[in-house]
Amino acid sequence: MQTWPQALSIGLAGIEAPGVLALLDELSETLARLTGDSGAQSFSLDDLRMEGACLAVARDELGQVWGCGALRPLVTDDGCVAVELKRMFARAGTRGVGAAVLAFLEAEALGRNVEVIRLSTRRVNERAVRFYRQHGYLHCAPWGRYVGREASVCLEKRLQRSTYGAGTA
């Protein structure tokens, strides 16, 4: 098991940044092992090149990557400004990295005037479902590619400016 430092910084990064592709590959391998699916069919690196998409990466003081998460724009039927949370991952043995990356991405979304963050995860990934529920995500109706997929759990969180200490707009 790797030891990880307590001092992390989280920031936006491109896919070409050191360690990012290896971390995304590690995520795909972990998902395949846990769920039987790497998630590659519902995410492409090109998604990160879309206007409005972003990737957050947690690094230690030596530049080692420990976690990541991405947002990509999502068109909704109800006209709200939404993003989909993708590629959330924290390396095994870390504590708090996933929560820190999620909080960073939620604040980033709020700064972009996003009203709701949606995500889908595999039902069999009970740890992920619990994690999102603990962070205020609620079940929602499936959308797009997730409609009719029994293996998928769709969740969302409505963002409120006061939740992140930003005051009123």
Side-chain angles (χ1 to χ4, degrees), residues 59-137:
R59 294 183 181 280
D60 65 18
E61 64 277 356
L62 300 176
Q64 172 73 33
V65 292
W66 292 95
C68 63
L71 299 175
R72 70 176 174 195
L74 183 64
V75 177
T76 64
D77 292 336
D78 60 6
C80 72
V81 180
V83 293
E84 184 176 6
L85 182 66
K86 300 297 294 180
R87 307 317 274 175
M88 277 293 298
F89 182 63
R91 286 204 157 128
T94 62
R95 287 190 55 85
V97 173
V101 170
L102 183 61
F104 179 91
L105 286 169
E106 289 175 352
E108 181 69 23
L110 192 63
R112 296 172 180 216
N113 296 315
V114 169
E115 299 170 83
V116 64
I117 297 176
R118 293 191 176 139
L119 67 96
S120 175
T121 190
R122 293 226 165 210
R123 194 173 302 281
V124 69
N125 193 351
E126 294 174 2
R127 184 174 177 204
V129 174
R130 260 191 326 275
F131 171 82
Y132 293 120
R133 297 279 307 180
Q134 289 170 349
H135 289 89
Y137 286 77

Side-chain angles (χ1 to χ4, degrees), residues 37-51:
D37 186 327
S38 70
Q41 290 183 340
S42 66
F43 179 81
S44 161
L45 292 178
D46 288 337
D47 292 346
L48 294 175
R49 295 181 180 100
M50 294 172 59
E51 186 172 336

